[in-house]
Structure formats: structure tokens, C-alpha cells
Amino acid sequence: MTLKITLAAACALVLAACGNHARSGDEAATAASAPAEPAATPPPAATTAMPAESTPPAASTVAARAPAATTDSDKPAAVVKDCATTIEGNDAMQFNVGSITVPASCAKFTVNLKHAGTMPVAAMGHDVVISKESDMQGVLADGMGAGASADYVKAGDSRVVAHTKLVGGGQSTSVSFDTSKIKTGGPYEFFCSFPGHAAMMKGSISVG
Ligand code: CU
């Protein structure tokens, strides 16, 4: 039963196929060769377009990574003298150094921050906050909640080793702290707690 139906169906298909071939063999050949050339042209265009589309995203990915790579370790180490350093922030949301090494001989250390830009504190304020790297995101989140009036640092945040106030263009500030606070339990980071700035404005601080 099933076999008969299958055979019948197969025969019908074969007949139909043969009939079509027999009748439209020439037409099919003509039709096939005619569209073949126009059809051959678009595919190369599409092939060219695809790499062209995939190349810019690749380039922009690299470009997007490049600034991130230059925010940290690619920047110079801070110049340290007499148990103190002066670092700069600017209107481009950058610190001028990527790391601070505190001499082990210093019992206290001072970080001076100079805002080398001209933008007001409300638009491009900078500060220096020091915490464990692992505490940084929590400090930043609570700092944002505390708001500008609190210099974007939560009052009494025990995760904060030290922090300056927030300053605008042309202003300076500083903070001193006991170096024993960052001798163990690190790694520690210094960063700006102005909302959004720490992604660009951060670096490592350690006792060397
Ligand atoms: Cu900042």
C-alpha cells in the first residue's frame, strides 16, 4: 500500500520533471545564462560590502579600547619627592599619571591635586580618592548618592583611605594619610569620584 503510493508519487514527479525539462530546456538554458551575468555581478558587490562593513566595527573596537589602555598603566608614574606628589587633572577627564609609588620610608604621604583645566567644578570637578581596588565601585556608587555637596564621597565611608575635596579648573587641593593604611590588604587605587570620571581617571597606588 505505502509502496504503491510512493512509487506512484515518484513516477508523477519524474514525469513532471521530464516534461518540464523536455519542454523548456532551451528556455531554461537561456534564462539561466541571461540572469547569470547580472546575478554574478551583485554577489561580488555584496562580498565586497560585507568585509567593508565588518572592518569599521573592528577598527572602532580597537579605537574604543585604545583610550582605555592609555588611562592606566600607559601613563607615567607620579614623581614623588619628600613623601609627597603633585598630580594633575584636566578638562579632558584625565589624570596625568597612571600610578603612584609611595616610598616605604614615608610614615605619611601627601597627594596634591592640581586641576590644570578651566572648566567649573560642577561640570568637570576632580578629586583624589584612595581605596582598595575591590572597594572602588562601592565607594563610587555611594559617593554618587552622597552628591556634589559631599564631594561625591559618602560621609564616614570606612572603605575610603583618604580623599581630597572636589576642585574645578585652576584650583588645587591636597590630602595626607598614614602610609600604613595602604601597606597591606591591597591592591589600592586612586581615582576621581566625580560621576563617570573613574573609568578614565584612576591609577594604582602602592608602597614600594
Ligand atoms: Cu574628575
Side-chain angles (χ1 to χ4, degrees), residues 172-193:
S172 293
T173 183
S174 73
V175 65
S176 298
F177 58 95
D178 291 339
T179 56
S180 61
K181 289 182 176 178
I182 59 167
K183 277 184 175 166
T184 58
Y188 290 87
E189 293 267 302
F190 68 94
F191 50 90
C192 174
S193 67

Side-chain angles (χ1 to χ4, degrees), residues 109-185:
F109 191 74
T110 300
V111 176
N112 299 298
L113 170 65
K114 179 185 172 187
H115 192 318
T118 59
M119 291 174 72
V121 65
M124 189 52 72
H126 298 316
D127 62 7
V128 172
V129 179
I130 298 167
S131 79
K132 285 181 187 175
E133 187 179 35
S134 57
D135 286 337
M136 193 174 125
Q137 293 309 321
V139 168
L140 286 169
D142 287 349
M144 197 186 301
S149 61
D151 291 333
Y152 297 111
V153 177
K154 187 178 81 174
D157 191 333
S158 61
R159 298 165 298 186
V160 173
V161 172
H163 74 94
T164 69
K165 65 175 185 171
L166 206 62
V167 293
Q171 298 179 311
S172 293
T173 183
S174 73
V175 65
S176 298
F177 58 95
D178 291 339
T179 56
S180 61
K181 289 182 176 178
I182 59 167
K183 277 184 175 166
T184 58

